[in-house]
């Protein structure tokens, strides 16, 4: 089957679309009020009663769409960054966008802006992501080498993490600190179409910036000199990937919090089916990321004791063992 996917990449994409469709139906079905598939379809098309229509259209549909967009963004940008940096351990957090977006959200909670308007948190989180992008552009404007981008991202991420710790340290209210921590653990609960209208355009803008980078990433896999010889504008390629990641991931983090492992693990899973050519990995990584995110969001609704699972915790519980298995298998194949 794996060889068949390598010869026909569309087969894997079709299978992943089927998985997404099944995951969407399950996500719309399960919750505090369980619905049948027929009730879900009736609610989506306005044929159900008012209560069921509200549950499907206003509560679960925005959550599903955001999960798909967030997972696709993390999966696609993870694959693109691993191709750009030629590092299988790269993920969207490597350029510091996730950390600065989280810092913006923490500051909004600390200042009480979330009590003034529900969209204050995603707005400040996206502002944090924009700050990281501007800093990265300034630092790497004269030398946009891979090493410069990595070092700048590490510096920005470390500074943002330290700033978050400082804000939490000076927060006098334990409840506020708990709210910060719970947001950073990630969730798609209670998301609305207002959140979608706010973050969606930035996510799509990031996608548009990265359209067509596959050919450049393929050439870059041969080395920078070979890519330049083939006519690839490496500086433009780097900025398209970096800015596209900044917009899409920054907007994603602003809505669902800091969710790890999707951008790191998903490209590795896809490579097992389609090989190591960067261009062939991009679209399947987006589809696989969307499916994983929707399924993980379903797991957050499971009743566990007196609490509730958070999206970031679920992804860590799934992603960490998968990643360790991938590392083990890679090590075995290299012997």
């Amino acid at each position: 089957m794996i060889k068949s996917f390598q010869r026909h990449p569309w087969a894997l994409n079709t299978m992943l679309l089927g998985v997404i469709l099944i995951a969407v139906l399950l996500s719309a079905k399960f919750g505090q009020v369980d619905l049948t598939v027929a009730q879900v379809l009736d609610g989506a098309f306005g044929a159900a009663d008012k209560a069921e229509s509200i549950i499907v259209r206003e509560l679960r549909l925005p959550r599903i769409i955001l999960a798909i967009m967030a997972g696709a963004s993390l999966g696609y940008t993870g694959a693109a960054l691993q191709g750009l940096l030629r590092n299988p351990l790269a993920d969207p957090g490597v350029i510091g966008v996730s950390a600065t977006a989280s810092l913006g959200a923490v500051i909004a909670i600390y200042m009480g802006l979330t009590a003034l308007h529900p969209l204050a948190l995603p707005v400040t989180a996206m502002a944090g992501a924009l700050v990281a992008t501007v800093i990265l552009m300034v630092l790497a404007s004269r030398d946009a080498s891979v090493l410069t981008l990595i070092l700048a991202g590490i510096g920005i991420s470390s500074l943002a993490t330290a700033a978050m710790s400082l804000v939490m340290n000076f927060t006098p209210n334990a409840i506020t600190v708990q709210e910060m921590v719970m947001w950073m653990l990630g969730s798609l609960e209670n998301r609305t179409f207002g959140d979608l209208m706010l973050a969606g355009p930035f996510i799509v803008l990031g996608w548009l910036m990265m359209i067509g980078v596959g050919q450049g990433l393929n050439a870059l896999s041969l080395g920078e000199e070979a890519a330049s010889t083939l006519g690839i504008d490496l500086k433009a390629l780097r900025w398209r990937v970096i800015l596209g990641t900044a917009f899409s991931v920054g907007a994603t983090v602003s809505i669902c919090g800091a969710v790890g492992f999707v951008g790191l693990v998903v490209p590795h899973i896809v490579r097992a089916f389609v090989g190591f050519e960067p261009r062939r990995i991009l679209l399947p990584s987006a589809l696989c990321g969307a499916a994983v995110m929707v399924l993980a969001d379903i797991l957050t609704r499971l009743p566990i004791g007196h609490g509730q699972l958070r999206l970031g915790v679920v992804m860590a519980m799934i992603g960490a063992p998968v990643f360790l298995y991938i590392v083990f298998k890679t090590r075995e194949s290299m012997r």
Side-chain angles (χ1 to χ4, degrees), residues 124-201:
T124 53
M126 281 193 291
L130 181 61
V131 168
T133 305
V134 172
I135 294 174
L136 196 64
M137 291 178 67
V138 171
L139 291 176
S141 57
R142 295 184 179 180
D143 177 18
S145 66
V146 169
L147 180 60
T148 301
L149 294 174
I150 293 176
L151 292 177
I154 291 173
I156 293 170
S157 183
S158 299
L159 181 62
T161 301
M164 280 189 286
S165 300
L166 184 65
V167 171
M168 291 184 181
N169 183 72
F170 284 105
T171 302
N173 192 335
I175 297 177
T176 304
V177 174
Q178 183 181 16
E179 185 179 354
M180 294 176 182
V181 173
M182 294 303 287
W183 183 87
M184 292 172 63
L185 291 177
S187 177
L188 285 168
E189 187 178 13
N190 299 325
R191 299 306 186 262
T192 66
F193 278 110
D195 297 304
L196 180 61
M197 294 300 294
L198 178 66

Side-chain angles (χ1 to χ4, degrees), residues 49-62:
D49 59 42
K50 185 176 181 180
E52 292 175 356
S53 296
I54 291 175
I55 291 173
V56 174
R57 288 185 170 186
E58 298 183 19
L59 298 179
R60 296 183 184 175
L61 189 57

Side-chain angles (χ1 to χ4, degrees), residues 258-309:
V259 179
F261 286 100
V262 179
L264 179 62
V265 172
V266 163
H268 286 279
I269 296 174
V270 171
R271 285 190 189 96
F273 293 93
V274 300
F276 293 87
E277 185 179 343
R279 181 170 58 180
R280 294 163 64 97
I281 295 171
L282 294 175
L283 180 56
S285 292
L287 296 175
C288 185
V292 167
M293 187 68 84
V294 176
L295 292 172
D297 184 48
I298 295 173
L299 293 178
T300 63
R301 305 172 203 178
L302 296 177
I304 305 294
H306 297 289
Q308 183 183 19
L309 285 172

Side-chain angles (χ1 to χ4, degrees), residues 11-325:
L12 177 61
N13 295 335
T14 303
M15 185 187 75
L16 289 172
L17 285 172
V19 173
I20 292 174
L21 178 59
I22 295 172
V24 166
L25 289 175
L26 290 175
S27 182
K29 182 179 185 302
F30 293 115
Q32 291 185 352
V33 178
D34 289 342
L35 302 175
T36 65
V37 175
Q39 288 174 320
V40 168
L41 296 176
D42 288 341
F45 293 103
D49 59 42
K50 185 176 181 180
E52 292 175 356
S53 296
I54 291 175
I55 291 173
V56 174
R57 288 185 170 186
E58 298 183 19
L59 298 179
R60 296 183 184 175
L61 189 57
R63 183 171 184 168
I64 292 169
I65 295 174
L66 283 170
I68 292 173
M69 296 182 73
S73 295
L74 294 173
Y76 191 96
T77 55
L81 285 171
Q82 289 178 14
L84 176 70
L85 303 178
R86 286 169 289 168
N87 185 342
L89 298 180
D91 76 334
V94 77
I95 62 172
V97 174
S98 299
T100 51
S102 298
L103 174 61
V106 166
I107 291 174
I109 296 172
Y110 174 78
M111 297 180 65
L113 299 179
T114 53
L116 299 178
H117 198 282
L119 295 181
L121 191 148
V123 167
T124 53
M126 281 193 291
L130 181 61
V131 168
T133 305
V134 172
I135 294 174
L136 196 64
M137 291 178 67
V138 171
L139 291 176
S141 57
R142 295 184 179 180
D143 177 18
S145 66
V146 169
L147 180 60
T148 301
L149 294 174
I150 293 176
L151 292 177
I154 291 173
I156 293 170
S157 183
S158 299
L159 181 62
T161 301
M164 280 189 286
S165 300
L166 184 65
V167 171
M168 291 184 181
N169 183 72
F170 284 105
T171 302
N173 192 335
I175 297 177
T176 304
V177 174
Q178 183 181 16
E179 185 179 354
M180 294 176 182
V181 173
M182 294 303 287
W183 183 87
M184 292 172 63
L185 291 177
S187 177
L188 285 168
E189 187 178 13
N190 299 325
R191 299 306 186 262
T192 66
F193 278 110
D195 297 304
L196 180 61
M197 294 300 294
L198 178 66
F202 292 95
I203 293 176
V204 173
L205 177 61
W207 294 351
L208 293 176
M209 285 184 175
M210 291 189 286
I211 289 179
V213 299
Q215 183 177 356
L217 295 177
N218 275 5
L220 190 59
S221 65
L222 302 175
E224 293 189 5
E225 292 185 5
S228 298
T229 303
L230 293 172
I232 302 299
D233 187 342
L234 295 180
K235 188 172 183 178
L237 176 65
R238 291 185 185 114
W239 284 122
R240 286 176 65 188
V241 174
I242 294 299
L243 290 176
T245 298
F247 279 110
S248 59
V249 174
T252 294
V253 172
S254 74
I255 295 300
C256 64
V259 179
F261 286 100
V262 179
L264 179 62
V265 172
V266 163
H268 286 279
I269 296 174
V270 171
R271 285 190 189 96
F273 293 93
V274 300
F276 293 87
E277 185 179 343
R279 181 170 58 180
R280 294 163 64 97
I281 295 171
L282 294 175
L283 180 56
S285 292
L287 296 175
C288 185
V292 167
M293 187 68 84
V294 176
L295 292 172
D297 184 48
I298 295 173
L299 293 178
T300 63
R301 305 172 203 178
L302 296 177
I304 305 294
H306 297 289
Q308 183 183 19
L309 285 172
R310 309 297 288 186
L311 187 59
V313 176
V314 172
M315 283 310 311
M317 293 173 63
I318 297 173
V322 171
F323 182 68
L324 290 175
Y325 174 76

